[in-house]
């Protein structure tokens, strides 16, 4: 697949878009994000991260006529048999806020000794000509016993890597090691090898 000159980030989550833009800008060469496009909401109906990422990227390509990058991320907690997984964003319900999801996770993990977890991100790139590429990034960590830090978004206050939560890290530091960064770097490598 030929590297696109620019892409639309297929997300309406401003926190996620900012993180993806920062990582894409740091690649060598960088991938330019095309701002200002709109598209209808895309319901994530697939049962895999890869399927949801492709669903969103295809819809944005159809709506904008530009190449699109979409991701879907799952938090997999060993003590919860891999949950919430594909339901990570809606763990506490369809209208859940970041705090609702974190509260539910902390309640589920109260008193649990095995706190190991991982974030898994599938990133899909779809072009107007119909080319599709899906890659994955994984970061192992643990669920903290309580919220720590003031940065980031989503589960960042309770996802620990090397005894620090994502919310305790500067954005630049998080963007060097995160599951999403790993997936986007894998995408850039796959494009370079194509």
């Amino acid at each position: 697949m030929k590297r696109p000159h620019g892409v639309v980030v297929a997300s309406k989550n401003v926190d996620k878009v900012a993180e993806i833009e920062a990582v894409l800008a740091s690649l060598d060469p960088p991938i330019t994000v095309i701002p200002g496009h709109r598209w209808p909401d895309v319901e994530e109906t697939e049962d895999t991260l890869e399927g949801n990422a492709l669903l969103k990227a295809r819809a944005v390509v159809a709506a904008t006529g530009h190449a699109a990058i979409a991701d879907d991320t799952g938090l997999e907690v060993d003590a919860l048999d891999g949950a919430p997984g594909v339901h990570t964003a809606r763990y506490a319900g369809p209208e859940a806020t970041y705090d609702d999801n974190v509260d539910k996770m902390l309640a589920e993990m109260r008193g649990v000794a095995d706190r190991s977890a991982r974030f898994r991100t599938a990133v899909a790139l779809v072009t107007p000509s119909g080319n599709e590429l899906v890659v994955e990034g994984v970061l192992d960590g643990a669920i903290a016993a309580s919220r720590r830090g003031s940065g980031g978004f989503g589960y960042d206050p309770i996802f620990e890597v090397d005894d620090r939560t994502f919310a305790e890290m500067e954005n630049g530091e998080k963007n060097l090691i995160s599951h999403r960064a790993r997936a986007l770097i894998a995408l850039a490598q796959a494009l370079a090898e194509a």
Side-chain angles (χ1 to χ4, degrees), residues 19-83:
E19 186 174 307
I20 291 171
E21 282 184 298
V23 174
L24 292 177
S26 73
L27 298 176
D28 185 24
I31 295 176
T32 303
V33 173
I34 304 168
H37 287 279
R38 302 205 183 285
W39 56 87
D41 287 340
V42 180
E43 190 174 345
E44 297 177 15
T45 56
E46 297 295 321
D47 58 2
T48 65
L49 300 173
E50 297 82 2
N52 282 327
L54 280 167
L55 191 72
K56 291 184 281 189
R58 289 171 183 152
V60 170
V61 169
T64 67
H66 292 286
I69 286 180
D71 88 309
D72 197 26
T73 295
L75 176 60
E76 300 172 348
V77 180
D78 291 341
L80 302 177
D81 296 324

Side-chain angles (χ1 to χ4, degrees), residues 27 35 44 46 67 69 81 87 121 138 148 160 163 182 187:
L27 298 176
E44 297 177 15
E46 297 295 321
I69 286 180
D81 296 324
H87 304 290
T121 294
V138 179
R148 295 199 321 266
E160 289 181 328
D163 298 321
R182 290 176 180 208
L187 176 68

Side-chain angles (χ1 to χ4, degrees), residues 9 18 26 33 35-36 65-66 70 73 85 90-91 113 120 124 156 167 169 179 186:
V9 177
S26 73
V33 173
H66 292 286
T73 295
R90 298 166 302 284
Y91 185 46
R120 185 179 309 278
D156 288 0
M169 299 178 188
H179 46 288

Side-chain angles (χ1 to χ4, degrees), residues 87-102 104 155:
H87 304 290
T88 295
R90 298 166 302 284
Y91 185 46
E95 303 299 322
T97 65
Y98 294 153
D99 284 339
D100 294 338
N101 287 329
V102 168
K104 181 172 181 179
Y155 294 86

